[in-house]
Amino acid sequence: MATKPLNNIWIRRQQCPCGDWKCYVKYQGDDQTTVRSELVTRDSATSSSDTIFTPYVGQIFKTDDEGFDYYCNFARKNGFSVRKARSTESQNLGVYRRDFVCYRSGFNQPRKKANVEHPRDRKSVRCGCDAKLYLTKEVVDGEIQWYVSQFSNIHNHELLEDDQVRLLPAYRKIQESDQERILLLTKAGFPVNRILKVLELEKGVQPGQLPFIEKDVRNFVRTCKKTVQENDALLTQKREIDMLALLETCRVATQRDDGFTYNYTTDENGKIENVSWAYGDSIRAFSVFGDVVTFETTYRSITYNMLLGVWFGIDNQGRAFLLGCVLLQDETSQSFSWALQAFIQFLRGNHPQTIVTDIDSGLRNAIATELPNTKHVICVWHVLSKLSSWFSLSLGLQYPEFKTEFELVCHLENIEDFENQWNHLMARFGIESDKHVSLLFSYRAFWPIAYIRGYFLARTMTIDYMKSVDKFMKNILSPHSSFKNFFEQVSVAASVAFQNKERVPNLPLKTCLPLEEHARSILSPYAFNALQQELVLCMQYAATDMANGSFLVRHYNKLEGECLVIWIPDNEQVHCSCKEYEHSGILCRHSLRVLVLKNYFQIPEKYFPLRWRVDSSLVISDDQITPQDNADECSEAFHSLTSTLYSEALISKERFNYVHRELTQVVEIVRNMPVFDEVTLDLAPNNVSEL
């Protein structure tokens, strides 16, 4: 079997953080993942019962292969398989007849037994079945075609159900894409049974539903043992070449980007182990948006056996942007420590306030060593994505109910309530001794809301932010033939956030509160939207003065969830027990309720963090193009003008027709006028002439 260059294939890390090598993780959403192959395509194309009819004598096909494929599809849908029997040829026509028969046609001929002590005596499946389809070639108007000359669908054996027919040898084919994956997983040391589980996860099929069985994989690996060894040598050589090319690409990037920086390590033989890099724009953005960093380590390259780590920040529009990348040779604490050291070096010694990661003991230990003053948070979405793999099988039909209650428990805001409800939940479903339950509870200081409520996360736990991270990862993880191509793809994706000139529209006001109008002029549209929601909801809360600047704030018809707000007028401080501001940088509805009660017309400047301000934006907003004050004045002028036109035009039909005709022409002229995005227009109302 000839070898050929393999693509750089990225897969999700499937090793469970519990440490048991036999335990693997199937992420939620993988059921929708499809790995297309010829067999899958063919099955989907022929899955409908009305697309494959029973063959009939006289049916015409363009080629004999087309006729054979048609008969195979018919056979599969009807519970049997077919094989090629005789072919008849002549000197003039060549092969002019093809005989296709049921796989149980004929009888097995006795073979001479091998001279061994215990010869295998396999029972034959052939039973003389007479089901068949014969094709005959003919030439019509100079064109060759094949027609069905004989057909019989009479079987002398039981036909198989759909879940059985797929196990017939004729349909158990390992497609080329699956062969590549099997070879790579074998090279990585995966046992055959684990290889099958990995393929089932990637294809999103139930266990045992692959188009081949464990025996087929074992036979394939055995016959390709030499190929695996050759591929191992080729991949080792290719990795060395690609890593050198990646370093050269990094050196070239330093010439194009003054702020670009990279680092790498080598082993005792001078071969490259780890590589990390960051872009100038990313490093500059860290000065404003570097308070919270997400370290995404979900994917690894099974081609090169390397882990991919991507550093993300969140901008003031709530979107993820790239801070840096790292490729690691393994997932040990030492490798993660080097990655963290390189990242801190890129940032000139600056540390984030909070780092968000997946569950990983090696990464946890590295963060504790290298970033002792940084808060470490495990993303709750990573926890939730693993629940199905851990508990769906053991809980069965109870799993949906368990998952719903699990999410409620992990969002409790009081530590004592969390621990009590946790123990109650696990005991109720009888899984208190499960190793994954113990794992999650041992990490409880890192992921439940009750423990991390006071950590600043800048809304990195929202679904929208996680979707933007996932979108970025999918954009850069398509198969690439080399790390150099991968680097270029990452560079393109990283530059989008910094070069995007998309205008972010201003949001309309929803209340008549001066607080809202003031906040809109300072915050980015994303941050203002979050504050606006809190401001709208604050009107549903009652504030009770508890003396000494303390207020008890509770919903008007909800008994639970009351919060204590402390207001210090001397330095305009407001603190709420819900800790929403400490958590996201956006004032909560409880604090806003007290500010409204105290007749504040503007939110104190200290509660507008630099990271959420509109002038810190990576993307141009309407505010930066047209001053808000002028825009409001312009709007009032147009409203006044159109109101006057409307009332004057309705006096007579002649007036109405004139105004309608002239305004139609004006609109057409304005539409055709050029737009100068770079120029700030003076839209003061005194520039509008009266009619």
Side-chain angles (χ1 to χ4, degrees):
M1 177 178 166
T3 61
K4 67 184 185 68
L6 299 176
N7 282 334
N8 185 11
I9 300 173
W10 301 95
I11 64 170
R12 288 179 181 264
R13 294 169 66 193
Q14 292 158 336
Q15 183 63 52
C16 181
C18 71
D20 185 354
W21 72 269
K22 293 179 290 185
C23 187
Y24 63 97
V25 174
K26 176 182 178 181
Y27 293 89
Q28 288 188 356
D30 284 350
D31 289 339
Q32 284 73 38
T33 303
T34 57
V35 181
R36 296 182 63 86
S37 64
E38 294 177 9
L39 184 59
V40 173
T41 303
R42 187 178 70 182
D43 288 347
S44 62
T46 61
S47 59
S48 179
S49 59
D50 59 0
T51 57
I52 299 296
F53 299 99
T54 302
Y56 56 91
V57 174
Q59 187 174 0
I60 295 175
F61 301 97
K62 293 181 180 179
T63 65
D64 54 340
D65 288 337
E66 180 184 338
F68 180 70
D69 289 341
Y70 190 92
Y71 192 31
C72 285
N73 291 332
F74 170 79
R76 179 160 188 167
K77 293 188 68 65
N78 287 274
F80 66 101
S81 66
V82 299
R83 58 183 171 85
K84 295 179 180 179
R86 293 185 308 169
S87 61
T88 309
E89 61 180 315
S90 68
Q91 188 173 2
N92 295 331
L93 290 176
V95 176
Y96 66 90
R97 175 170 152 170
R98 296 282 194 189
D99 296 354
F100 308 133
V101 298
C102 174
Y103 77 112
R104 304 194 68 176
S105 173
F107 297 94
N108 193 42
Q109 298 298 322
R111 297 181 179 179
K112 184 178 180 180
K113 294 185 178 181
N115 187 21
V116 294
E117 185 177 353
H118 300 289
R120 290 184 296 178
D121 187 16
R122 294 179 177 175
K123 184 178 179 180
S124 173
V125 298
R126 298 190 180 186
C127 60
C129 179
D130 194 43
K132 60 193 175 185
L133 183 144
Y134 294 169
L135 291 179
T136 301
K137 180 195 292 185
E138 64 177 355
V139 180
V140 178
D141 297 331
E143 297 289 334
I144 296 177
Q145 63 183 24
W146 295 77
Y147 68 93
V148 178
S149 55
Q150 293 187 49
F151 172 70
S152 172
N153 198 31
I154 300 175
H155 299 265
N156 63 354
H157 56 88
E158 184 178 357
L159 299 178
L160 303 178
E161 297 294 332
D162 185 62
D163 61 338
Q164 296 174 313
V165 72
R166 68 180 184 83
L167 299 177
L168 292 175
Y171 304 125
R172 297 199 324 253
K173 302 295 184 182
I174 303 179
Q175 300 300 319
E176 184 178 352
S177 59
D178 294 326
Q179 292 177 10
E180 291 183 355
R181 189 60 56 89
I182 291 170
L183 290 177
L184 288 168
L185 292 173
T186 302
K187 169 254 179 186
F190 282 59
V192 171
N193 62 341
R194 185 114 183 272
I195 290 175
L196 287 171
K197 290 181 179 179
V198 170
L199 293 175
E200 288 168 351
L201 287 173
E202 293 175 352
K203 291 177 176 291
V205 300
Q206 296 297 318
Q209 296 300 310
L210 289 171
F212 45 83
I213 60 177
E214 183 174 330
K215 176 183 176 182
D216 301 322
V217 177
R218 292 190 185 278
N219 290 339
F220 173 73
V221 171
R222 188 181 299 113
T223 57
C224 295
K225 185 176 181 180
K226 182 178 179 182
T227 303
V228 171
Q229 295 173 346
E230 293 174 350
N231 271 355
D232 186 53
L234 284 173
L235 287 173
T236 301
Q237 181 183 12
K238 189 174 188 295
R239 169 177 160 169
E240 294 175 8
I241 295 173
D242 282 355
M243 293 296 276
L244 289 172
L246 175 60
L247 285 187
E248 180 59 30
T249 304
C250 289
R251 293 190 187 98
V252 173
T254 59
Q255 300 173 5
R256 299 196 308 262
D257 181 356
D258 292 337
F260 181 87
T261 181
Y262 69 100
N263 200 351
Y264 64 96
T265 62
T266 58
D267 60 15
E268 61 276 7
N269 298 319
K271 295 181 180 178
I272 302 169
E273 294 177 316
N274 309 305
V275 180
S276 184
W277 68 91
Y279 301 89
D281 286 337
S282 299
I283 295 173
R284 287 185 285 272
F286 181 86
S287 62
V288 179
F289 304 116
D291 40 21
V292 181
V293 168
T294 300
F295 190 30
E296 183 67 30
T297 57
T298 303
Y299 292 89
R300 64 177 298 109
S301 166
I302 60 172
T303 308
Y304 298 105
N305 194 27
M306 298 191 76
L307 176 71
L308 171 65
V310 184
W311 304 92
F312 287 104
I314 178 173
D315 68 7
N316 64 348
Q317 301 298 339
R319 290 183 289 236
F321 67 94
L322 182 79
L323 284 170
C325 277
V326 63
L327 290 167
L328 300 174
Q329 65 170 348
D330 54 44
E331 303 171 21
T332 61
S333 294
Q334 292 77 11
S335 293
F336 283 128
S337 290
W338 178 84
L340 293 170
Q341 292 169 9
F343 185 63
I344 295 170
Q345 178 188 353
F346 296 160
L347 302 176
R348 301 176 179 87
N350 295 315
H351 295 193
Q353 293 181 35
T354 310
I355 182 171
V356 182
T357 72
D358 198 350
I359 303 177
D360 189 290
S361 59
L363 183 54
R364 178 187 61 178
N365 296 336
I367 291 173
T369 302
E370 305 298 335
L371 298 172
N373 298 320
T374 296
K375 303 295 186 182
H376 180 198
V377 172
I378 292 173
C379 181
V380 68
W381 299 109
H382 284 308
V383 173
L384 296 176
S385 69
K386 297 176 176 61
L387 293 183
S388 177
S389 293
W390 289 344
F391 305 116
S392 62
L393 186 61
S394 58
L395 294 178
L397 296 177
Q398 290 182 301
Y399 172 71
E401 181 184 359
F402 168 79
K403 185 189 176 202
T404 300
E405 297 197 21
F406 183 94
E407 292 185 21
L408 293 175
V409 170
C410 71
H411 283 89
L412 292 174
E413 297 185 359
N414 181 276
I415 293 178
E416 184 178 355
D417 290 343
F418 168 80
E419 294 186 354
N420 290 336
Q421 291 297 323
W422 175 274
N423 293 331
H424 175 74
L425 178 66
M426 301 310 158
R428 177 185 165 195
F429 287 91
I431 56 175
E432 57 266 55
S433 60
D434 186 279
K435 62 183 179 182
H436 299 114
V437 171
S438 301
L439 174 73
L440 288 175
F441 196 70
S442 69
Y443 277 87
R444 65 188 180 280
F446 300 94
W447 63 272
I449 297 298
Y451 289 88
I452 65 172
R453 189 61 182 169
Y455 297 175
F456 185 66
L457 289 170
R459 300 179 67 82
T460 53
M461 294 296 182
T462 62
I463 295 179
D464 289 340
Y465 173 75
M466 295 307 300
K467 285 181 177 179
S468 66
V469 170
D470 186 59
K471 180 181 179 181
F472 186 98
M473 296 299 293
K474 288 180 178 178
N475 286 341
I476 67 173
L477 290 180
S478 56
H480 303 282
S481 59
S482 68
F483 275 143
K484 177 182 177 183
N485 293 340
F486 169 72
F487 175 89
E488 293 171 351
Q489 184 69 21
V490 172
S491 300
V492 171
S495 65
V496 170
F498 301 102
Q499 296 179 357
N500 188 0
K501 299 302 181 183
E502 170 191 354
R503 296 186 181 184
V504 182
N506 283 306
L507 296 175
L509 300 176
K510 293 183 179 179
T511 72
C512 59
L513 297 175
L515 287 172
E516 182 185 17
E517 186 173 0
H518 175 238
R520 185 176 69 170
S521 66
I522 296 178
L523 295 175
S524 69
Y526 173 81
F528 173 70
N529 180 56
L531 181 74
Q532 188 181 54
Q533 293 179 23
E534 296 295 312
L535 197 56
V536 170
L537 291 173
C538 87
M539 307 309 295
Q540 300 178 12
Y541 286 75
T544 304
D545 193 341
M546 307 295 290
N548 299 323
S550 299
F551 293 84
L552 194 63
V553 182
R554 66 175 67 182
H555 195 270
Y556 77 98
N557 67 355
K558 295 179 181 178
L559 298 179
E560 74 282 353
E562 62 185 18
C563 291
L564 180 65
V565 178
I566 307 296
W567 174 61
I568 306 175
D570 293 341
N571 52 5
E572 295 188 312
Q573 289 189 34
V574 60
H575 303 279
C576 182
S577 60
C578 77
K579 298 183 178 179
E580 176 61 31
Y581 180 77
E582 291 81 358
H583 192 68
S584 67
I586 302 294
L587 277 179
C588 64
R589 61 198 69 172
H590 318 106
S591 297
L592 290 170
R593 185 68 186 94
V594 172
L595 292 180
V596 171
L597 184 66
K598 289 298 179 180
N599 297 322
Y600 271 76
F601 297 107
Q602 293 185 354
I603 296 174
E605 285 290 317
K606 66 179 69 177
Y607 295 109
F608 292 128
L610 182 62
R611 67 141 28 257
W612 290 134
R613 296 189 177 219
V614 68
D615 51 11
S616 302
S617 198
L618 297 178
V619 180
I620 296 177
S621 70
D622 284 347
D623 284 358
Q624 296 164 293
I625 297 172
T626 302
Q628 184 63 40
D629 293 340
N630 285 348
D632 290 341
E633 293 176 9
C634 178
S635 177
E636 292 176 5
F638 272 111
H639 277 300
S640 175
L641 187 61
T642 54
S643 177
T644 302
L645 269 176
Y646 179 73
S647 59
E648 292 292 336
L650 290 180
I651 294 177
S652 68
K653 184 176 181 181
E654 182 182 2
R655 287 190 177 192
F656 175 82
N657 291 338
Y658 173 79
V659 170
H660 183 271
R661 182 174 64 254
E662 294 298 320
L663 284 181
T664 302
Q665 294 178 6
V666 169
V667 169
E668 189 64 29
I669 293 172
V670 171
R671 282 177 177 170
N672 294 327
M673 292 176 65
V675 178
F676 300 97
D677 289 341
E678 297 81 2
V679 179
T680 301
L681 302 180
D682 183 6
L683 298 179
N686 56 5
N687 290 334
V688 181
S689 300
E690 296 183 2
L691 289 179

